[in-house]
Each structure stands twice: as structure tokens, then as C-alpha cells.
Amino acid sequence: MAKQLCRAVAPLPVTAKFGIGWDADSVNAVRVAGILEECGIAALAVHGRTALKVIPAKPDWRVIGEVAQTVAIPVIGNGDLFLPRKSRAGAPETKMLAS
């Protein structure tokens, strides 16, 4: 579906946002990111929680960093960012952007 959407609206960029997986046993964000990149998605926003891990659980920035290191497209990390200095904290070593 992502590939067809990218083709249908070209040359406009298409972005995608997703969580890191369904639950702790199915964290698949790196694999999903690779698939979306292959489909032509221009940038990703990755939420650092699984679908079953809701607030007040902490986001897993390690997984978001793995996604950013794996794909060549921009990655925007998402989850519990309230202060600008906290938003920039992981960016230099992971290539990720923060939202």
C-alpha cells in the first residue's frame, strides 16, 4: 500500500509514523522502517512505545536510534519530548531528529 501511495502522489513526499511494535515480544521497528524506505517513503516518525505499552511507560529511544542508524531517510523520534535540550539529546550519535 505504501508503494502505491508514493507512486500515486509523486513527486510529493510521503511520510509515515508508527510505533516500535505491537508488544515487547514483537518489536519490529527496524524491519518496518526498511520496508517503508524501500516503498519510497521520504521520512519516518517513530513513536518509542509499543501499541500495548501506553503512558506512563517510557519510550524506548534505543529502538528509535536503531531505526535511524539503519535507514538512509530522515527519522523523527517521538515520545515524551517536552524540553528542547531533551529533544536534541540523542540526535548526534543516532542521526535521528526529534519532534
Side-chain angles (χ1 to χ4, degrees):
M1 181 196 255
K3 187 179 284 188
Q4 289 85 358
L5 178 62
C6 290
R7 287 182 183 156
V9 301
L12 298 174
V14 176
T15 62
K17 180 179 180 183
F18 58 96
I20 61 173
W22 180 253
D23 60 25
D25 295 324
S26 63
V27 173
N28 59 0
V30 171
R31 185 169 60 93
V32 170
I35 292 168
L36 291 171
E37 181 180 37
E38 288 175 13
C39 289
I41 296 293
L44 301 170
V46 182
H47 187 73
R49 293 183 183 89
T50 64
L52 297 182
K53 191 180 198 183
V54 295
I55 297 172
K58 297 287 184 201
D60 191 338
W61 285 91
R62 179 190 52 81
V63 174
I64 300 171
E66 289 174 12
V67 170
Q69 292 293 328
T70 302
V71 297
I73 58 179
V75 174
I76 302 162
N78 181 256
D80 288 358
L81 297 175
F82 304 109
L83 301 171
R85 68 179 172 276
K86 186 174 180 182
S87 297
R88 293 189 300 267
E93 62 273 4
T94 64
K95 292 191 339 179
M96 91 176 91
L97 305 171
S99 74

